Every structure is written in structure tokens, then in C-alpha cells.
Amino acid sequence: MLLNLKTGRIAGYNEGQEPLIYLLTTAQTVQQAGVRFVFSDGHGLATFTDWYDDLARLDEVDWAIVKAKYWPDTPEDNDRQRRKQAEFLVWQSLDWSLLHGIAVLNAAMKQRVQIILNQFPQRKQLRIAIRSNWYY
């Protein structure tokens, strides 16, 4: 989806990837807080994707593909695109207190996010990190 945002392949959306921010936590933090979750080993719409609610099954995710910047299907492995799109979904919402940080594309977005966070001094203040290598 991020690549589609960058290349303008999302109908009705033309802002690119800069406005997208990552809210960071860990699966372990979510579990320890008692928040319900599920995760998949691939794209959620594929009929052969499996779903799990036990972190002991995280090894079912193809982490090499998930971390890959480019992941086209190949003649030897025509399931790479589906596996790249593994998901971790939290039931209903995630409390702000469970976040560990925020990642953004660039300094301009970092400043924009900091201005917004400054409007909520009563909230846990999160570290904002520029992670341009997480984007295309």
C-alpha cells in the first residue's frame, strides 16, 4: 500500500507517503496489556492466509519477506506478495500509553507531528524518529 501511495495508484489520494506516520509498539506490549489481537501470515483477503492470536506462533510470519523493500513474486516463489502483507490487528483501539514512539519520513513531518503532540501535554510524550528507510 505504501508503494501505491508513493506512485499515485490510489484513486482519490494524491498526497504521497509523507503524511503517513508509524505509531510504534510491540506485540508483546499489546499482549501484556490484555488487548485482544490477531495476526496473519499474509494478506488478509487471501483464502489460504492463516490467522493467529498466540505470539508463540510469530514464527509463522515470513519475516525475511516482511522486512524486504522489494518483494515481487518469482517463478520459484509465487507467494511472496501475499506473505509480505502479513498484518497485526488490534481489536477496536490501542491506548496511547501502549505506544513507544512515532516514526516519520522526514524532518518536516517530524516538526508537524511535534506541533500536534505539543497540544496534548497531559499525554505521554513520544519520541519521534525520522525513518526515511521505512518509506519508498
Side-chain angles (χ1 to χ4, degrees):
M1 182 60 75
L2 187 58
L3 183 58
N4 287 336
L5 291 177
K6 179 183 178 175
T7 57
R9 289 186 263 174
I10 305 297
Y13 182 84
N14 62 3
E15 294 183 54
Q17 58 186 343
E18 185 179 33
L20 181 95
I21 65 171
Y22 291 90
L23 301 175
L24 309 175
T25 191
T26 65
Q28 293 77 13
T29 297
V30 171
Q31 180 182 47
Q32 289 168 3
V35 176
R36 291 174 55 194
F37 65 88
V38 295
F39 63 94
S40 69
D41 64 0
H43 192 289
L45 294 179
T47 57
F48 48 92
T49 290
D50 289 320
W51 291 89
Y52 309 93
D53 61 1
D54 179 358
L55 295 186
R57 304 293 302 272
L58 280 172
D59 61 340
E60 301 290 340
V61 176
D62 184 342
W63 292 106
I65 290 292
V66 168
K67 293 176 184 179
K69 188 156 189 164
Y70 300 101
W71 62 93
D73 288 342
T74 65
E76 300 80 31
D77 183 355
N78 66 355
D79 189 36
R80 293 167 54 93
Q81 289 184 26
R82 181 194 69 83
R83 295 193 323 269
K84 169 67 174 178
Q85 298 176 70
E87 302 175 76
F88 187 94
L89 305 172
V90 172
W91 174 252
Q92 294 185 325
S93 66
L94 184 68
D95 192 88
W96 187 261
S97 66
L98 300 179
L99 297 177
H100 300 301
I102 299 174
V104 298
L105 175 64
N106 55 36
M109 197 61 196
K110 180 178 181 178
Q111 181 180 16
R112 187 172 163 194
V113 170
Q114 189 62 63
I115 289 169
I116 294 168
L117 292 180
N118 289 345
Q119 296 175 32
F120 302 92
Q122 72 281 12
R123 292 278 184 185
K124 172 182 169 184
Q125 292 300 300
L126 301 174
R127 181 173 173 266
I128 306 167
I130 297 171
R131 296 286 185 258
S132 55
N133 61 324
W134 291 7
Y135 297 78
Y136 289 96

